[in-house]
């Protein structure tokens, strides 16, 4: 393909992905709102048989929140897979067009970050049923893509010399996975707050309405905690890799540049989150708020520092 | 609640305060304070990295500038309040971690507690019916072989084994917190013994590492400027390329400096190329290429026709297209002369800024001044600024091209632009703490991963007599970290018991 065709193909793939994701969003919304209000409880017991003896392993109650809306939820999940594949194609084509990793400016960071959000979610969905979470993932991914194609779009160009380093690949790929995982943890934490509110209102009775499709507040909090426990070391790694790169590029590993400062702030807030989870009186709603604040500091770093603050790291290309 | 009330004796008071101070809640609050205290430094220009902008801010806002300055808003990361927060945090950390380390040390050498009476209440629970009587023995053997800490016993006619695993979780947590202190030590070593300096070198010129050659130099309290590593280099060539495509027009694509280096006066000459991301390492120090610009070459004659200046003058870029400014001071000519110089790599006729950073159509703007440039007053002066208090302007030219000469008004002489050279600016840095800090950071990351990924868990296997004389084996487990699931362990233990039975 010629460069112009590659460019065209990348843009088309990204627009197609946005279309498919929008459809996914509609189906997610429909599955959420459709059908009966009470979730079905399916009792499951796994039985291991071996000669002459029976072992019953872990009796669990599995709640299938999507008995009524199951079909649309499943369609939405398939569409999300398809949209993610198209987005991956768009990002790869963009890289081929530019002849380098597609992380040279904010447009490219943003389409890759949207990919990161979706991939982390889909990775999560392989192991557990998170269809109820889909809509809260597809919306931020679509917003990110929308912003990318409208405001941040730039033609592919050479990397500025400061970005020509294999540390770009290491540091930025870690940060992009973190962006997806932090978004996921913020979405789950926000839902935990909503569910907590619903549970308090129901005062012991089973919750009804839309939130009946979601796990209990406690389970949502545990889930957010797991995601952050996975993301925090990765973020620590991304910061360390950034410091090594800065040492190589500018002669100091830490200089309190605004970008570095906000990476540090995000790190400290999530460290506070992990402490809050083991502190009486903080592990509930307050911890959820801290997770949301942590994600906001990440966003502040990405949009605020890239676009509005004069930093050594200003590569927005806008 | 009563235990929250402080006792009245002094020692009791102290212990109470210390306990509060080293609690998780205090750590949490201090972490929040640290995050909030970091914010102003990203909004206000900082003296350390941006002294000119900081000064502009302070003078530009006569009421708030000095107040914020006194409060340390332009040196946030060395301000008393910022330091206080992180020092308190680290003292709290030490006070918290040391006792925990002692507790953990003891816990690692003791056996787990006895099995609880009622295992079926555990979330993960399995029952084996008709197992043979050696099941508990085999379970214990299996657990020991897999490095569980094991305790065996008998209560109410039931034999049991109780086992615990995952002590590395707490070990990792302790390593992580202690490594944070080590990172701080690494930073402190760099701050006290490290130094860095900046120097501008023109193509063809050299630099040797002594204090007097630096344009700016700063070091920690124990850095000795008399003992810098004795290396030297000459910049033989400098190459720059800029993007000419429409997108990112004028952004840099490449800059490289070729240098001939001597590690010490007696060493052999070696050639090397310095680029962004590829610093030169010599004698423990690192030489980074941080900037570049143009140095137009002028010849100046005074009123007697004598050549009073024949040299390049370094001009500093003011924008992305390298509109660059500099000055020439000639206090010994007659008359005394001074020039404001603006260099345009690509002159756009009619504009006062350069159109492109590469030298496509180089030209200079000049303003000539006569009078005393004030070099003899003893007050140190910037070489990039002309002190015009005792000078008067005699004329200016908007664009002087290479090869052209401007005859100054009032018979003051003439100035010709011969051409231009390039200069590169280097930062030379020495930080003896950085390897230490890196090792500590890797240690912290490893500890963190142990602490977050290792699951601390207990399992029990209990054998008792069932209702009709058969043997019943119960297997149960408990994850000590929240939300964890031990069913995988139970499955494996069940297999260990039943698997041997069938073979
Ligand atoms: C520089 C400040 C600190 C940072 C960045 C920090 C960071 C962290 C992080 C990321 C964790 C979660 C990972 C793990 O379990 O190892 C953690 C856990 C923990 N921190 Fe800190 N910490 C700091 C100071 C403190 C202080 C002052 C205390 C004492 C009160 C403390 C006590 C603990 C404890 C007890 C845990 C384990 C919680 C659990 O068992 O789940 N930390 N810390």
């Amino acid at each position: 393909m010629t460069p112009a065709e590659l460019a065209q193909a990348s843009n088309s793939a990204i627009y197609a992905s946005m279309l498919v994701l929008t459809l996914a969003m509609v189906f997610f919304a429909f599955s959420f709102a459709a059908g009966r209000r009470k979730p079905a409880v399916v009792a499951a017991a796994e039985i291991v048989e071996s000669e002459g003896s029976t072992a019953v392993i872990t009796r669990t109650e599995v709640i299938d929140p999507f008995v009524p809306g199951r079909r649309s939820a499943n369609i939405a999940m398939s569409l999300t897979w398809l949209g993610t594949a198209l987005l991956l194609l768009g990002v790869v084509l963009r890289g081929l067009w530019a002849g380098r990793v597609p992380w040279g400016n904010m447009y490219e960071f943003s389409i890759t970050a949207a990919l990161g959000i979706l991939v982390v979610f889909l990775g999560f969905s392989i192991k557990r049923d998170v269809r109820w979470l889909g809509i809260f993932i597809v919306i931020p991914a679509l917003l990110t893509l929308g912003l990318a194609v409208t405001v941040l779009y730039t033609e592919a160009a050479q990397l500025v010399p400061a970005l020509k380093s294999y540390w770009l690949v290491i540091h930025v790929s870690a940060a992009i996975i973190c962006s997806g995982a932090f978004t996921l943890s913020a979405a789950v934490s926000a839902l935990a707050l909503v569910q907590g509110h619903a549970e308090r209102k129901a005062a012991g009775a089973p919750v009804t309405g839309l939130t009946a499709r979601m796990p209990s507040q406690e389970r949502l909090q545990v889930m957010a905690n797991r995601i952050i426990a996975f993301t925090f070391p990765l973020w620590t790694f991304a910061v360390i890799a950034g410091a090594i790169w800065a040492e190589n590029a500018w002669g100091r590993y830490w200089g309190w540049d605004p970008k570095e400062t906000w990476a540090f702030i995000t790190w400290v807030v999530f460290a506070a989150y992990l402490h809050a989870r083991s502190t009486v009186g903080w592990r509930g709603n307050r911890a959820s708020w801290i997770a949301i604040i942590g994600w906001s500091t990440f966003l502040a770093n990405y949009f605020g520092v890239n676009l509005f603050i004069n930093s050594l790291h200003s590569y927005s290309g806008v | 609640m009563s235990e929250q009330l402080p006792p009245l004796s002094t020692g009791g008071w102290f212990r109470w305060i210390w306990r509060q101070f080293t609690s998780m809640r205090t750590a949490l609050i201090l972490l929040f304070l640290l995050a909030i205290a970091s914010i102003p430094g990203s909004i206000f220009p900082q003296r350390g990295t941006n002294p000119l902008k900081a000064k502009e801010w302070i003078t530009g806002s006569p009421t708030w500038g000095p107040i914020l300055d006194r409060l340390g808003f332009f040196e946030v990361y060395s301000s008393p309040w910022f330091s206080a927060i992180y020092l308190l945090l680290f003292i709290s950390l030490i006070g918290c971690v040391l006792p925990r380390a002692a507790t953990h040390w003891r816990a690692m050498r003791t056996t787990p507690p006895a099995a609880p009476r009622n295992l079926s209440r555990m979330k993960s629970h399995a029952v084996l019916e008709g197992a043979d009587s050696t099941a508990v023995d085999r379970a214990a053997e299996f657990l020991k072989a897999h490095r569980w800490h094991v305790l065996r016993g008998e209560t109410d006619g039931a034999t049991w084994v109780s086992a615990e695993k995952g002590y590395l979780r707490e070990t990792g947590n302790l390593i992580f917190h202690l490594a944070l202190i080590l990172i701080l030590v690494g930073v402190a070593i760099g701050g006290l013994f490290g130094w860095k300096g900046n120097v501008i070198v023109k193509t063809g010129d050299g630099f040797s590492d002594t204090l007097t050659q630096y344009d700016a130099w700063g070091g920690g309290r124990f850095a000795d400027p008399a003992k810098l590593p004795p290396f030297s280099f000459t910049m033989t060539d400098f190459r720059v390329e800029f993007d000419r495509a429409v997108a990112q027009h004028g952004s840099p694509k490449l800059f490289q400096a070729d240098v001939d280096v001597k590690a010490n006066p007696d060493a052999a000459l070696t050639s090397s190329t310095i680029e962004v991301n590829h610093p030169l390492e010599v004698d423990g120090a690192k030489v980074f290429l941080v900037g570049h610009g143009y140095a137009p070459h002028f010849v100046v004659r005074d009123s007697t026709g004598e050549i009073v200046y024949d040299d390049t003058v370094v001009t500093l870029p003011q924008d992305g297209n390298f509109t660059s400014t500099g000055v020439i001071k000639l206090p010994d000519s007659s008359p005394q002369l001074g020039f404001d110089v603006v260099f345009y790599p690509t002159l756009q006729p009619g504009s006062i800024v350069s159109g492109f950073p590469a030298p496509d159509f180089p030209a200079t703007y000049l303003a000539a001044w006569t009078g005393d440039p004030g070099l003899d007053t003893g007050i140190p002066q910037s070489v990039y600024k002309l002190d015009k208090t005792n000078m008067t302007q005699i004329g200016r030219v908007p664009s002087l091209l290479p090869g052209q000469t401007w005859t100054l008004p009032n018979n003051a002489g003439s100035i010709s632009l011969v051409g231009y050279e390039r200069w590169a600016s280097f930062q030379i840095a020495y930080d003896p703490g950085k390897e230490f800090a890196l090792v500590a950071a890797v240690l912290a990351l490893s500890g963190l991963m142990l602490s977050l990924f290792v699951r601390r868990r207990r399992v029990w296997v209990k054998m008792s007599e069932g209702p009709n004389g058969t043997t019943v084996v119960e297997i149960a487990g408990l994850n000590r970290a929240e939300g964890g699931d031990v069913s995988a362990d139970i499955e494996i233990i069940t297999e260990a018991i039943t698997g041997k039975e069938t073979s």
Side-chain angles (χ1 to χ4, degrees):
Chain A
M1 279 201 269
T2 67
E5 282 167 347
L6 277 175
Q8 190 54 47
S10 167
N11 293 352
S12 309
I14 285 167
Y15 279 109
S17 154
M18 288 175 69
L19 187 71
V20 173
L21 289 174
T22 308
L23 276 176
M25 180 179 75
V26 171
F27 276 98
F28 273 130
F30 184 71
S31 76
F32 219 82
R36 265 180 298 150
R37 304 210 138 190
K38 263 207 183 142
V41 177
V42 186
E46 206 183 330
I47 294 170
V48 173
E49 299 243 25
S50 63
E51 251 163 72
S53 58
T54 310
V56 181
I57 296 204
T58 326
R59 285 171 303 239
T60 42
E61 274 187 350
V62 176
I63 298 172
D64 186 344
F66 278 112
V67 169
R70 183 191 274 155
R71 180 176 292 165
S72 37
N74 289 348
I75 294 174
M77 281 307 287
S78 308
L79 287 171
T80 309
W81 278 98
L82 178 63
T84 307
L86 283 168
L87 184 55
L88 177 67
L89 183 70
V91 171
V92 169
L93 287 174
R94 175 87 186 181
L96 285 177
W97 175 29
R100 53 170 168 75
V101 283
W103 304 326
N105 50 50
M106 256 183 105
Y107 169 72
E108 295 173 352
F109 287 138
S110 298
I111 56 174
T112 318
L115 184 65
I117 295 172
L118 292 165
V119 165
V120 170
F121 168 68
L122 289 176
F124 215 66
S125 79
I126 293 174
K127 274 198 131 174
R128 59 192 76 213
D129 182 1
V130 281
R131 286 172 294 181
W132 52 271
L133 187 57
I135 187 157
F136 303 101
I137 289 306
V138 171
I139 289 175
L142 271 173
L143 284 177
T144 312
L145 283 174
L147 206 63
V149 298
T150 52
V151 181
L152 304 171
Y153 188 78
T154 16
E155 299 286 325
Q158 284 278 328
L159 288 183
V160 296
L163 285 179
K164 276 184 197 148
S165 165
Y166 57 89
W167 286 106
L168 170 70
V169 183
I170 298 172
H171 172 69
V172 176
S173 54
I176 282 172
I177 299 172
C178 288
S179 76
F182 282 148
T183 307
L184 197 64
S185 74
V188 175
S189 297
L191 293 177
L193 289 171
V194 172
Q195 185 70 305
H197 184 75
E199 281 172 10
R200 272 191 303 282
K201 244 173 62 187
V207 290
T208 52
L210 289 183
T211 57
R213 309 199 164 278
M214 307 192 309
S216 67
Q217 182 188 33
E218 202 193 326
R219 283 192 52 195
L220 288 168
Q221 287 168 345
V222 167
M223 194 182 253
N225 189 49
R226 289 243 181 108
I227 302 167
I228 292 169
F230 155 80
T231 321
F232 187 75
L234 193 61
W235 183 243
T236 309
F237 170 78
V239 173
I240 294 175
I244 297 174
W245 186 10
E247 201 279 325
N248 227 343
W250 301 314
R252 85 290 183 293
Y253 56 86
W254 197 265
W256 296 107
D257 180 81
K259 196 102 194 175
E260 297 166 357
T261 302
W262 280 91
F264 174 76
I265 292 172
T266 302
W267 190 81
V268 169
V269 172
F270 279 106
Y273 171 89
L274 291 171
H275 281 131
R277 287 295 289 168
S278 355
T279 306
V280 185
W282 282 79
R283 52 200 353 262
N285 283 351
R286 288 185 186 172
S288 299
W289 278 114
I290 298 176
I292 294 169
I293 292 171
W295 175 70
S296 326
T297 64
F298 184 89
L299 284 192
N301 201 358
Y302 187 61
F303 290 108
V305 177
N306 274 358
L307 297 176
F308 303 119
I309 294 184
N310 187 4
S311 151
L312 279 175
H313 293 76
S314 296
Y315 303 124
S316 63
V318 177
Chain B
M1 277 289 116
S2 63
E3 62 170 5
Q4 292 282 322
L5 288 177
L8 291 173
S9 72
T10 330
W13 256 104
F14 180 77
R15 244 174 289 133
W16 181 81
I17 292 174
W18 180 246
R19 229 188 4 256
Q20 298 303 311
F21 180 60
T22 57
S23 72
M24 285 284 266
R25 183 170 286 106
T26 308
L28 187 57
I29 290 165
L30 286 172
L31 280 169
F32 261 118
L33 284 178
L34 186 65
I36 293 168
S38 307
I39 296 176
S42 74
I43 295 169
F44 295 95
Q46 299 293 293
R47 275 222 180 78
T49 47
N50 222 337
L52 285 180
K53 277 245 174 70
K55 206 169 149 198
E56 255 169 47
W57 210 104
I58 297 166
T59 45
S61 161
T63 21
W64 282 106
I67 295 176
L68 291 178
D69 189 24
R70 189 128 352 115
L71 291 175
F73 275 65
F74 300 96
E75 274 155 321
V76 166
Y77 307 107
S78 50
S79 67
W81 41 273
F82 190 81
S83 313
I85 294 171
Y86 77 77
L87 287 178
L88 284 176
L89 188 56
F90 273 89
I91 294 169
S92 164
L93 192 156
I94 294 169
C96 172
V97 165
L98 289 186
R100 271 178 73 116
T103 312
H104 182 52
W105 180 254
R106 266 176 268 125
M108 279 198 304
R109 357 206 80 222
T110 51
T111 46
R117 197 161 291 252
N118 191 350
L119 288 184
S120 60
R121 268 207 301 245
M122 298 295 159
K123 226 169 110 191
S124 295
H125 179 236
V127 183
L128 280 172
E129 272 162 41
D132 77 284
S133 57
T134 58
V136 168
D137 294 335
R138 272 180 287 128
E141 229 168 80
F142 173 83
L143 289 167
K144 268 192 195 138
H146 288 79
R147 298 200 293 160
W148 291 70
H149 288 205
V150 170
L151 177 72
R152 300 192 55 173
E154 231 183 287
T155 4
D156 305 335
T159 46
W160 49 259
V161 50
S162 170
E164 182 157 350
K165 197 177 180 174
Y167 295 84
L168 273 180
R169 182 184 185 89
E170 180 74 0
T171 311
N173 181 300
L174 295 171
I175 291 176
F176 168 74
H177 284 87
L178 291 172
L180 291 181
I181 300 173
L182 294 183
I183 293 179
L184 206 65
V185 172
V187 173
I189 294 175
L192 291 173
F193 293 93
W195 50 262
K196 70 180 172 199
N198 288 78
V199 61
I200 284 180
V201 180
K202 288 182 274 196
T203 312
D205 282 1
F207 165 81
S208 66
D209 190 28
T210 49
L211 192 59
T212 50
Q213 294 236 333
Y214 282 101
D215 299 329
W217 191 91
R221 188 165 302 168
F222 302 125
D224 186 352
K227 286 196 196 136
L228 302 180
F231 66 87
S232 60
F233 65 82
T234 306
M235 183 163 88
T236 53
D237 191 17
F238 187 72
R239 287 179 297 279
V240 204
E241 266 175 46
F242 297 98
D243 205 333
R244 289 181 185 273
V246 179
Q248 304 193 9
H249 189 69
S251 69
K253 276 167 77 171
L254 167 131
F255 35 96
Q256 287 179 330
D258 285 343
V259 288
D260 284 346
V261 190
K262 269 186 172 184
N264 59 62
D266 308 319
L269 209 60
T270 52
S271 293
S272 173
T273 300
I274 307 179
E275 290 179 66
V276 176
N277 284 321
H278 296 281
L280 168 73
E281 271 195 86
V282 51
D283 215 359
K286 271 186 162 179
V287 183
F288 299 88
L289 178 61
V290 288
H292 62 101
Y294 294 93
H297 182 178
F298 293 101
V299 173
V300 182
R301 291 166 203 271
D302 66 6
S303 56
T304 63
E306 201 183 323
I307 293 181
V308 287
Y309 186 84
D310 181 2
D311 203 354
T312 52
V313 51
V314 169
T315 58
L316 301 181
Q318 306 295 319
D319 61 24
N321 283 329
F322 281 72
T323 309
S324 309
T325 59
V327 298
I328 303 174
K329 299 177 190 180
L330 300 169
D332 301 325
S333 64
S334 80
Q336 290 181 306
L337 286 170
F339 295 94
D340 276 324
V341 180
V342 181
F343 181 80
Y344 311 104
T346 298
L347 176 72
Q348 299 170 290
S351 163
I352 55 159
V353 290
S354 169
F356 194 73
D360 291 347
F361 184 32
T364 56
Y365 157 96
L366 287 172
W369 300 71
T370 52
D372 181 11
L375 288 181
D376 306 326
T377 56
I379 303 166
Q381 267 202 12
S382 163
V383 294
Y384 302 108
K385 270 218 170 89
L386 203 55
D387 178 0
K388 290 159 188 161
T389 16
N390 297 316
M391 303 190 85
T392 39
Q393 196 181 77
I394 54 170
R396 47 189 178 183
V397 279
S399 60
L400 190 70
L401 304 181
Q404 291 184 338
T405 299
W406 175 35
T407 308
L408 300 176
N410 311 348
N411 246 339
S414 69
I415 179 167
S416 337
L417 176 61
V418 179
Y420 66 89
E421 274 177 26
R422 291 190 189 271
W423 56 260
S425 65
F426 296 94
Q427 181 169 96
I428 302 173
Y430 171 70
D431 181 346
K434 63 176 191 277
E435 287 82 8
F436 190 96
L438 179 62
V439 170
V442 170
L443 197 64
L445 182 59
S446 320
L448 184 64
M449 288 181 10
L450 284 179
S451 151
L452 290 171
F453 301 150
V454 171
R455 291 170 306 126
R456 177 93 172 255
R457 60 236 195 249
R458 278 196 193 139
V459 293
W460 300 275
V461 179
K462 192 175 193 175
M463 188 167 69
S464 50
E465 201 162 297
N468 37 20
T470 54
T471 331
V472 176
V473 176
E474 280 177 284
I475 304 158
L478 177 70
N479 200 319
R480 297 191 54 193
E482 59 158 0
D485 181 14
V486 283
S487 52
D489 288 312
I490 293 189
E491 208 166 318
I492 293 169
I493 295 164
T494 310
E495 270 164 25
I497 298 172
T498 55
K500 278 205 183 135
E501 200 169 50
T502 50
S503 63

